Structure formats: C-alpha cells, structure tokens
C-alpha cells in the first residue's frame, strides 16, 4: 500500500510540474515571437497592396519605366571551346520606381523575402544569349526585395546561366576572346521600359578577383544599345563584354614541348649508321606515329571547325619535319645501294676486260708466229718492188699517203673528246655518299626548324 501510494503521488507531481513548465515555455515563446505585438512604424502591407495590379507596369500609358541594372559576378565556372559557351553565376540587381507602393508611415526601407516577389510587377528581363539558366533555391529562393518609402524597389536574384560565346580560334592557343552577357526586355519595347546601367556600376564587383584556369580577364566594358526588330519594334539591351586572354603555359607544356622533343628525337637517326636499318626505320616510324597520336589527342577537345588553328599549323610543321627525317634515310639508303651496285658493275666490267685481254694476247702470239714466215717473204718481194718503183716514181704523187695518217689522228682526237664528255656527265649524275647526306642533314634540319619556329611565333604572337 505504501509503495502504491508513493507511485501515485509521484505521477501526480509529474503531471502538475509538466503543465506548469509547458505554460511557462509557451509564454516565453509567445513573448519572443511577438505574435500579438504591433510595430507602429511598419506599414500595413495589406492596405498597401489593395488595388495593386501586378500585370500592369507602373505608370502604364505614360512615360517608360527606367530600370537601373547592376551586376556582381560570383564565379565563371567553365569555358568550353568545343561548345563555344561559358557558365557564369551572377547577382543581378534591378531597381525601378513604382508609385503604387510608396508609403509615408516611416522613412525606413523594408526588406522583404522571396514570397513577396510573386505579388509585384517585375521587369521581364532575360539573357539573350543564354543556352540555359536557373535560379538558386537553397535553402530558400535566393531573391531579395527592398521597398523604399518613395516607391523605389530593389530586386536582387542569384542566377547561374550557360551563355553562348562566339570564338575565333584561328590563333588558338595564342588567342584572345570577347564574350558577352546580353540583357534585354522580352515583351516590353522602348515605349514601355528603358534599361540603363546603375550609376554605382562603374566596375564589376568580384570580376577582378576571379582566377580562371585557362583564361585571364584583361578588360571589360558596359554597352547600352537599342535593338530594332521590324516585326516587334525597338527593344533596349544592356551588354557586359569582357576580354579573355588564354593562358599559354599549359599548352606549351602539353603540346609544344612534346612536339619539339619528337622532332629532335627524329634527328637522332642522322647519327646512326646506315647499316643499322632496323634501328633507323623503327625510330622514324615511332616518331611519326607518336606525332599523329599527339595531333589527334590535342584536337579532341576542340570543335570540328574548318578554320585552321595555330596549334594545327605547328603540329603539321613538326609532322613534316619528322616525316622528312624518315624520307632522308630512305634517300640516303637508296644512294648507298646505288653506289654499291655501280661498284659491282665496274668490278665485273674490269674482270671481263682483263679476261678478254688475256685471251687476245694468247691469240696474238699464235697469230704472230704464223705470220712471221709470211712477213719474211713479203719483205723480200717488197724490196724488189721498191727498187722498180723508185726508178719510175713521179714527184708529188705521195700526198695521199701522208693525208691518211692525219685523218686517223683527227678521228682519235674526236673520240677522246666524246669519252671525256661521257665521263663528265657521269660525274654530274654521280650519287652522293650516304654519310655525306647524313652530315648535311645534321645541320640543315635543326637550322631550318629554328627558322620556321621564329617565323611561326612572330606571326602568331605579334
């Protein structure tokens, strides 16, 4: 009994204490929230919004609404050459005057949350060259409304947009691009709304502090223009144009230096012996294939445009030098084989001529022995004939015998001249020694490559 009585009293105390604590807490929360408290200087928004038509602009039928625009760049996330676009996050601030929302209860500015935005008239501003855009809504919608007593409204929103940017990649990667962010009214013409840059928008907050991986922002400017469309009328447009200079360091490391090293590697074959055919051929083919792979990989991140880029020009210069080194070995090897064949022909002709001479000498010996006896008898008969002719010979009839040796001499001189001409022609068409070709290539290739590099860098960087 005593135990049960103690338990019952404990439960009763808990209920009573909990009720008292709950009431105390609720009273504290009610005091903190202030649900029943009226702030005297706050205007009554319900009375302020009576008769307000959010579908009509301020001062409809009168002069156009002046909208002051200001931009603060939060980040530029990605610039794509393949798609020719960039992604930017900005704080877009618009300010205009609406007499319907003016109040005289106080001179303080009211800061309202995003739920009040849906009750107001807003300029129908859109990004002309945007591919996609969205508002941020974490943890709530990133929108701000500030209402001043004289009816001036400040509307700020955080927007991320992927914007098109036409790029001229002729000098890539030594190029400079100009990208734009165009803001315009979609439905209101210049008769209803006029845009202008805010007086405080002398420079863009946040743009100077941005650090991009591939580009450096060198300059920016504000442009105000009026677009004339025949079917719709004239529309005001504000443009933010900023200059981007590409950072070349990463391209020098990833593209230019490997290309130069591949070209220099192809020159190693000039110091390898002509007899080492597998070494020189494999080195030449390896450098050509590696250069091809480097060209394909570098172009994979670029649009398939018809324009020839500066990087393409350099790749093709290196490719030509690498391929020329392979052709040089083929030319030198051909000359070496040609010289060996010529030497073999000369040696074979010499051996055949020597054998002919030996056979001729043997035949002449036999012939001389057979003719010796005949010569003796002929000499005896000649002596008798000369004695008879000397008595009957008439002076002046021996000129024909003397003219015949002269003709033979002239023929021999002409034949010797023709042989000299043939020898000279052979000397002119004589193939160059393969080692001499390699020696010339060791100097000509590096010098020519250096000259082409100077011309290339001057042409694309000046």
């Amino acid at each position: 009994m005593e135990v049960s009585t103690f338990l019952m009293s404990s439960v009763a105390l808990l209920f009573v204490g909990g009720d008292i604590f709950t009431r105390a807490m609720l009273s504290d929360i009610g005091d903190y929230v202030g649900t029943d408290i009226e702030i005297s200087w706050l205007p009554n928004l319900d009375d302020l919004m009576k008769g307000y038509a959010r579908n009509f602009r301020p001062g409809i039928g009168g002069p156009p609404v002046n909208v002051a625009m200001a931009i603060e760049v939060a980040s530029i996330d990605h610039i794509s050459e393949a798609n020719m676009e960039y992604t930017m996050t900005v704080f877009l601030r618009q300010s205009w005057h609406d007499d319907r929302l003016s109040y005289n209860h106080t001179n303080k500015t009211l800061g309202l949350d995003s739920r009040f935005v849906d009750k107001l008239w807003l300029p129908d501003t859109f990004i002309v060259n945007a591919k996609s855009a969205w508002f941020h809504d974490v943890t709530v919608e990133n929108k701000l409304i500030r209402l001043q007593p004289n009816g001036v409204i400040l509307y700020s929103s955080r927007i991320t947009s992927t914007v098109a940017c036409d790029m001229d990649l002729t000098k890539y990667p030594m190029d400079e691009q100009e990208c734009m962010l165009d803001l315009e009214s979609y439905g209101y013409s210049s008769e209803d709304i006029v845009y202008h840059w805010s007086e405080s928008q002398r420079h863009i907050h946040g743009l100077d502090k941005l650090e991009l991986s591939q580009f450096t922002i060198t300059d920016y400017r504000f442009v105000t223009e009026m677009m004339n469309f025949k079917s719709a009328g004239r529309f005001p447009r504000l443009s933010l144009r900023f200059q981007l200079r590409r950072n070349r360091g990463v391209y020098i490391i990833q593209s230019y230096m490997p290309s130069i090293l591949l070209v220099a590697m192809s020159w190693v074959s000039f110091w390898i012996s002509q007899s080492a055919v597998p070494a020189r051929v494999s080195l030449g083919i390896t450098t050509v294939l590696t250069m091809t792979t480097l060209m394909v990989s570098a172009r994979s991140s670029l649009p398939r445009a018809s324009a020839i880029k500066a990087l393409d020009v350099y790749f093709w210069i290196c490719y030509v030098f690498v391929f020329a080194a392979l052709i040089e070995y083929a030319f030198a090897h051909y000359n070496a084989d040609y010289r060996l064949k010529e030497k073999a022909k000369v040696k074979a002709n010499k051996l055949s001529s020597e054998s002919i001479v030996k056979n001729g000498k043997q035949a002449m010996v036999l012939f001389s022995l057979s003719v010796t006896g005949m010569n003796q008898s002929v000499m005896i008969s000649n002596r008798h004939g000369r004695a008879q002719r000397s008595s009957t010979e008439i002076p002046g009839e021996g000129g024909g015998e003397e003219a015949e040796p002269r003709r033979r001499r002239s023929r021999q001189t002409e034949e010797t001249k023709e042989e000299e001409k043939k020898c000279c022609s052979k000397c002119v068409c004589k193939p160059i020694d393969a080692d001499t070709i390699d020696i010339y290539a060791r100097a000509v290739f590096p010098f020519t490559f250096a000259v082409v590099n100077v011309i290339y860098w001057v042409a694309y960087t000046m």
Side-chain angles (χ1 to χ4, degrees):
M1 290 294 292
E2 293 179 358
V3 175
S4 61
T5 305
F6 176 75
L7 290 174
M8 292 294 290
S9 61
S10 299
V11 171
L13 287 172
L14 286 173
F15 277 110
V16 172
D19 188 24
I20 295 171
F21 177 76
T22 304
R23 289 178 182 177
M25 189 173 66
L26 287 174
S27 64
D28 292 341
I29 293 174
D31 293 339
Y32 179 77
V33 175
T35 53
D36 298 331
I37 296 177
E38 293 184 1
I39 302 176
S40 60
W41 59 267
L42 280 176
N44 192 336
L45 295 180
D46 293 334
D47 295 338
L48 195 62
M49 297 300 295
K50 284 182 180 179
Y52 184 86
R54 63 182 300 271
N55 297 325
F56 299 100
R57 69 172 181 87
I60 185 170
V65 180
N66 288 312
V67 178
M69 195 81 68
I71 288 179
E72 181 177 348
V73 178
S75 65
I76 298 178
D77 303 322
H78 181 63
I79 300 176
S80 174
E81 294 85 4
N83 299 323
M84 291 195 177
E85 63 186 19
Y86 67 96
T87 302
M88 175 185 282
T89 300
V90 298
F91 294 96
L92 182 62
R93 297 186 175 94
Q94 305 175 72
S95 180
W96 67 95
H97 183 263
D98 193 345
D99 291 331
R100 298 173 294 179
L101 297 176
S102 60
Y103 57 90
N104 54 9
H105 298 77
T106 180
N107 57 356
K108 294 183 179 180
T109 301
L110 294 179
L112 305 173
D113 61 8
S114 59
R115 290 174 293 181
F116 195 71
V117 173
D118 298 332
K119 300 179 181 181
L120 299 179
W121 175 88
L122 300 176
D124 58 345
T125 306
F126 79 107
I127 302 175
V128 179
N129 50 348
K131 293 184 177 180
S132 62
W134 63 92
F135 291 101
H136 291 259
D137 54 3
V138 179
T139 57
V140 294
E141 291 187 19
N142 297 169
K143 295 180 181 179
L144 168 69
I145 287 288
R146 283 184 181 173
L147 183 59
Q148 296 182 9
N150 59 354
V152 175
I153 301 173
L154 173 64
Y155 171 55
S156 177
S157 58
R158 185 185 178 196
I159 304 172
T160 297
S161 178
T162 300
V163 185
C165 179
D166 295 333
M167 300 182 183
D168 182 11
L169 299 176
T170 305
K171 291 187 175 182
Y172 176 89
M174 276 84 71
D175 56 333
E176 293 185 3
Q177 305 295 338
E178 183 183 52
C179 292
M180 298 178 291
L181 183 68
D182 297 332
L183 302 172
E184 185 180 315
S185 174
Y186 191 82
Y188 292 105
S189 64
S190 59
E191 298 177 355
D192 296 317
I193 193 170
V194 174
Y195 286 110
H196 62 88
W197 291 107
S198 176
E199 295 179 357
S200 60
Q201 190 73 53
R202 295 181 181 178
H203 63 278
I204 300 177
H205 298 282
L207 197 60
D208 299 333
K209 299 178 182 178
L210 287 179
E211 293 184 1
L212 306 178
S213 58
Q214 296 184 13
F215 291 90
T216 300
I217 300 175
T218 58
D219 191 18
Y220 59 87
R221 57 195 175 97
F222 304 101
V223 177
T224 303
E225 54 187 343
M226 192 68 66
M227 306 304 297
N228 193 1
F229 300 98
K230 293 182 179 180
S231 60
R234 302 173 70 235
F235 289 81
R237 176 180 293 184
L238 299 182
S239 297
L240 169 62
R241 301 182 182 181
F242 48 95
Q243 302 287 335
L244 299 172
R245 184 180 68 241
R246 195 181 301 275
N247 300 327
R248 305 166 189 170
V250 64
Y251 297 96
I252 292 175
I253 294 173
Q254 294 182 356
S255 299
Y256 286 98
M257 289 304 298
S259 302
I260 294 173
L261 292 177
L262 282 174
V263 174
M265 188 184 298
S266 67
W267 299 339
V268 176
S269 62
F270 302 152
W271 278 267
I272 300 176
S273 174
Q274 288 285 335
S275 59
V277 177
R280 295 193 66 162
V281 171
S282 62
L283 180 61
I285 294 175
T286 302
T287 52
V288 169
L289 294 178
T290 308
M291 194 68 220
T292 304
T293 305
L294 185 63
M295 293 171 63
V296 173
S297 63
R299 289 184 59 87
S300 61
S301 61
L302 297 176
R304 296 182 179 180
S306 59
I308 299 175
K309 307 168 190 63
L311 188 62
D312 296 336
V313 174
Y314 196 82
F315 277 152
W316 276 107
I317 290 172
C318 295
Y319 192 86
V320 167
F321 272 91
V322 169
F323 191 76
L326 183 61
I327 297 300
E328 183 273 342
Y329 174 64
F331 179 70
H333 190 70
Y334 172 79
N335 279 277
D337 288 346
Y338 186 80
R339 287 177 62 85
L340 290 175
K341 290 178 181 178
E342 288 295 323
K343 287 181 181 180
K345 286 182 181 179
V346 171
K347 189 175 181 179
N349 292 331
K350 188 175 181 181
L351 291 174
S352 62
S353 62
E354 287 178 356
S355 62
I356 291 171
V357 169
K358 287 181 181 179
N359 295 329
K361 286 181 179 180
Q362 293 176 359
M364 288 297 292
V365 169
L366 296 174
F367 182 74
S368 61
L369 291 175
S370 61
V371 175
T372 302
M374 295 175 65
N375 288 337
Q376 292 178 355
S377 59
V378 170
M379 290 174 65
I380 294 170
S381 61
N382 286 337
R383 289 175 184 174
H384 294 288
R386 289 176 183 172
Q388 294 177 359
R389 282 197 300 272
S390 61
S391 59
T392 61
E393 189 177 12
I394 299 172
E397 291 183 354
E401 295 178 355
E402 294 178 357
E404 187 175 357
R406 292 177 183 175
R407 293 174 184 173
R408 291 177 182 175
R409 291 173 186 173
S410 63
R411 290 176 183 174
Q412 290 176 356
T413 54
E414 290 178 357
E415 290 176 356
T416 53
K417 288 181 180 180
E418 289 178 357
E419 290 178 357
E420 288 178 356
K421 288 181 180 179
K422 290 180 180 179
C423 292
C424 292
S425 62
K426 287 182 179 180
C427 293
V428 171
C429 301
K430 183 180 179 180
I432 306 173
D433 185 27
D435 295 331
T436 305
I437 295 173
D438 283 343
I439 292 172
Y440 285 140
R442 294 170 191 172
V444 171
F445 272 72
F447 177 76
T448 308
F449 188 68
V451 171
V452 172
N453 268 274
V454 171
I455 297 172
Y456 172 86
W457 289 103
V458 170
Y460 282 103
T461 56
M462 297 299 290

